[in-house]
Amino acid sequence: MTPRLLIIGCGDVGLRVLKLLQGRWRVYALTSSPARAPELRAAGAIPLVGNLDEPATLGRLAGLADRVLHLAPPATEGARDRRTQHLLAALAQRPPEALVYASTTGVYGDCGGAFVDETRAPNPGTDRARRRVDAEAQLRAFGRRHGTRVSLLRIPGIYARDRAGGHPRERLARGTPVLRREDDVYTNHIHADDLALACVLALLRGRAQRAVNVCDDSQLLMGDYFDLAAELAGLPPPQRITREEAAERMSPMQLSFWSESRRLANRRLKAELRLRLRYPTPREGL
């Protein structure tokens, strides 16, 4: 029997998943934009128009697929992820066998540069991350209640040369500075193609109600990441500034990324999902 997959939020990563499946699965893709229907159809999906902010538009989703890939982010405000709440209410009528959710490593908050695996308790430091923690809790409860195998993929910075905004060269070309080494933070990455493969493997192999860090093998300070990108792109390295200078020059959103430091362990990614990274570090991926 042909597997049936429903993708919620079929953007860049969802399109890469479609390419991996190459017509071997029957794939439905929910979009809030009717204008995207031709693009999704050309990529091999059956487009469905619906909006996670409007529960009345989600009635057709129940029982449509035996697996669900939830790639849609929460709204930009509020303490809860109402979009996930609306999705799960629609799916509850005929729950899927497996559900994979694209979460964020931001749920860990600042770890002071420590090594972090999935047993570390979430400690979100921003409202954005708190909404993700709420979504994870909703999904785990749904899985326990309905017997759905829920996988939570905790994802760091996604990059790829062919991803919109997915290469540091644009930021380097703008002359955006980075922190000096003594103020710098550890950052984590995953290539978009490796992430897409992780999504498919989690649909097939993910353990029930289980979180997995989806990151590569690198342990880079953020400034070193941008220095590497500059080297590979033939651009000047970024200016280094102090944290005090950054507070005066950078946006609150940018500063929030510079306030958290952690190094992620990816043992579960390799041992449980059995993913072999195509791009084990940004040097290969960039």
Side-chain angles (χ1 to χ4, degrees):
M1 184 175 177
T2 303
R4 291 170 295 129
L5 172 65
L6 169 63
I7 299 179
I8 307 295
C10 193
D12 174 73
V13 174
L15 291 172
R16 291 171 195 264
V17 168
L18 282 170
K19 188 175 180 180
L20 285 175
L21 298 178
Q22 295 180 331
R24 290 171 294 176
W25 292 27
R26 186 174 181 86
V27 182
Y28 303 87
L30 182 74
T31 177
S32 59
S33 172
R36 289 205 64 219
E39 177 192 13
L40 294 171
R41 194 174 291 112
I46 301 167
L48 303 170
V49 178
N51 193 321
L52 294 180
D53 294 322
E54 301 172 10
T57 67
L58 307 177
R60 292 179 296 167
L61 302 186
L64 196 62
D66 44 33
R67 294 178 178 88
V68 175
L69 177 58
H70 179 11
L71 300 174
T76 56
E77 57 186 23
R80 298 205 64 199
D81 182 359
R82 300 293 180 188
R83 290 176 177 172
T84 291
Q85 180 182 357
H86 297 158
L87 172 64
L88 295 180
L91 296 176
Q93 299 172 47
R94 293 175 63 188
E97 296 175 15
L99 193 158
V100 172
Y101 176 58
S103 186
T104 170
T105 55
V107 300
Y108 296 118
D110 180 34
C111 303
F115 284 94
V116 175
D117 68 14
E118 298 86 350
T119 64
R120 188 179 182 106
N123 184 31
T126 65
D127 289 342
R128 184 174 65 250
R130 291 184 190 98
R131 288 188 287 272
R132 294 290 194 169
V133 171
D134 175 71
E136 288 190 3
Q138 290 187 56
L139 287 154
R140 277 190 161 129
F142 180 91
R144 290 191 295 267
R145 186 180 310 118
H146 297 286
T148 295
R149 178 170 51 83
V150 170
S151 297
L152 308 173
L153 303 185
R154 291 177 174 164
I155 303 164
I158 307 168
Y159 75 96
R161 291 178 61 87
D162 59 349
R163 174 182 168 88
H167 192 287
R169 59 176 170 259
E170 291 88 354
R171 175 172 161 167
L172 290 164
R174 290 195 303 269
T176 305
V178 296
L179 291 174
R180 63 180 183 171
R181 180 168 295 275
E182 51 265 50
D183 290 330
D184 212 351
V185 296
Y186 282 98
T187 182
N188 304 273
H189 305 91
I190 188 69
H191 192 284
D193 286 343
D194 282 330
L195 173 56
L197 181 55
C199 289
V200 174
L201 294 177
L203 289 164
L204 296 170
R205 301 171 180 167
R207 297 185 183 180
Q209 286 55 273
R210 188 81 152 170
V212 177
N213 291 338
V214 181
C215 58
D216 65 21
D217 294 334
S218 63
Q219 310 290 341
L220 289 171
L221 291 168
M222 188 178 291
D224 291 345
Y225 172 71
F226 284 100
D227 281 350
L228 170 64
E231 172 197 331
L232 295 174
L235 294 170
Q239 177 191 7
R240 298 278 185 152
I241 62 175
T242 66
R243 189 168 289 278
E244 290 73 22
E245 290 172 316
E248 297 174 357
R249 295 172 56 176
M250 312 309 292
S251 69
M253 172 71 81
Q254 200 153 31
L255 288 172
S256 72
F257 290 112
W258 286 358
S259 65
E260 297 184 356
S261 182
R262 52 189 170 261
R263 286 176 279 181
L264 298 173
N266 60 10
R267 185 193 61 80
R268 286 186 184 177
L269 178 68
K270 295 178 176 181
E272 297 180 7
L273 300 190
R274 304 198 294 280
L275 174 67
R276 295 184 63 184
L277 290 163
R278 182 178 177 187
Y279 304 103
T281 77
R283 180 170 288 279
E284 293 86 13
L286 293 175

